Amino acid sequence: MSDRRSTASVVSGRTVRRALVMAGIGGLTAAGLLGPGAASAQAAACPDVEVVFARGTAEPAGLGRVGQAFVDDLRSDLGGRTVGTYAVNYPASYDFLQSAPQGADDAGAHVQATAASCPTTSIVLGGYSQGAAVVDLISADPGATFGFGRPMPASVADHVAAVAVFGNPAGRIGRTLASASPLYGAKTIDLCNGADPVCSNGDDRPAHSRYVEAGFPTQAADFVAAKVARHGASDVRINASGSVG
């Protein structure tokens, strides 16, 4: 049985890597249209909401085009609430075996630090393309993709109000985050643009660079805003042993 699980994990990892290669192609297209990204500085005081977003392959450092559009729409939806942002600090390079785990380590560390220092802040996780894979690694990762196997502690889920991922390579193997994560699935929106080959078995490569134009950041922001409005520490209760109760 363990051999079968190991084989399945290797096959899944290879499929995700192939999707990430295609994500890189789309990332270059998107990056060519962008100027330097600008991530909002986190306020000194704890914000009402903290968005932790990982950009796609080859995008300039910052939130990325999809991430910035998502944050802008979310701020509009949340009205008077303060919204801080954190652009995951990672290469977003074509060396996916190194890049995505680096992003996962950075994102996971920031989320846990925020949960500890700002316990009443509602955290929102987000990612586009390779950045979506980064979010997968810290919130689900049932097959230890890329050998990572370091998802965040279960107790952190209390502090995460919602998750929004776009062009998620895990969709290629039928493992969307919404279906694969017991802790985060119910508060996740996992969006794939039609026949985007990075997240589906389709072949519309330009679709991977058109998430903003297709209105997906707005759709995700509406979903996340509703989750944030209902977010509370009782959403997921963790007992003393650390298991979900």
Side-chain angles (χ1 to χ4, degrees):
M1 178 67 72
S2 61
D3 289 342
R4 288 199 296 271
R5 282 198 299 267
S6 176
T7 300
S9 176
V10 170
V11 171
S12 297
R14 287 173 179 166
T15 304
V16 171
R17 283 195 291 274
R18 284 196 295 271
L20 284 170
V21 169
M22 286 185 285
I25 295 171
L28 269 183
T29 303
L33 301 174
L34 301 174
S40 301
Q42 182 175 359
C46 293
D48 297 324
V49 179
E50 173 81 342
V51 179
V52 180
F53 200 94
R55 71 194 189 279
T57 304
E59 288 192 290
L63 296 175
R65 185 167 177 253
V66 175
Q68 188 62 62
F70 168 65
V71 168
D72 290 345
D73 286 334
L74 184 61
R75 282 199 170 108
S76 177
D77 284 351
L78 291 177
R81 289 187 176 91
T82 57
V83 179
T85 62
Y86 179 78
V88 175
N89 182 16
Y90 83 120
S93 71
Y94 294 100
D95 186 2
F96 307 121
L97 291 177
Q98 297 295 322
S99 179
Q102 285 181 42
D105 280 332
D106 183 75
H110 182 78
V111 170
Q112 291 176 71
T114 301
S117 61
C118 299
T120 62
T121 292
S122 294
I123 299 171
V124 174
L125 304 179
Y128 161 64
S129 192
Q130 186 179 168
V134 167
V135 175
D136 287 342
L137 292 180
I138 62 173
S139 57
D141 195 23
T145 310
F146 307 144
F148 185 73
R150 298 188 295 278
M152 295 186 296
S155 57
V156 175
D158 284 348
H159 300 272
V160 176
V163 183
V165 287
F166 309 82
N168 188 353
R172 292 264 300 177
I173 56 173
R175 298 288 294 183
T176 63
L177 183 55
S179 65
S181 176
L183 287 172
Y184 298 93
K187 44 189 165 185
T188 294
I189 184 166
D190 196 329
L191 297 168
C192 185
N193 186 15
D196 176 357
V198 172
C199 49
S200 77
N201 291 319
D203 60 359
D204 184 2
R205 292 194 175 190
H208 191 64
S209 299
R210 295 175 178 163
Y211 279 79
V212 175
E213 292 79 1
F216 286 103
T218 300
Q219 181 181 342
D222 291 346
F223 173 90
V224 168
K227 293 294 183 183
V228 167
R230 297 192 296 269
H231 181 237
S234 62
D235 285 352
V236 180
R237 294 191 302 277
I238 308 297
N239 64 31
S241 67
S243 59
V244 180

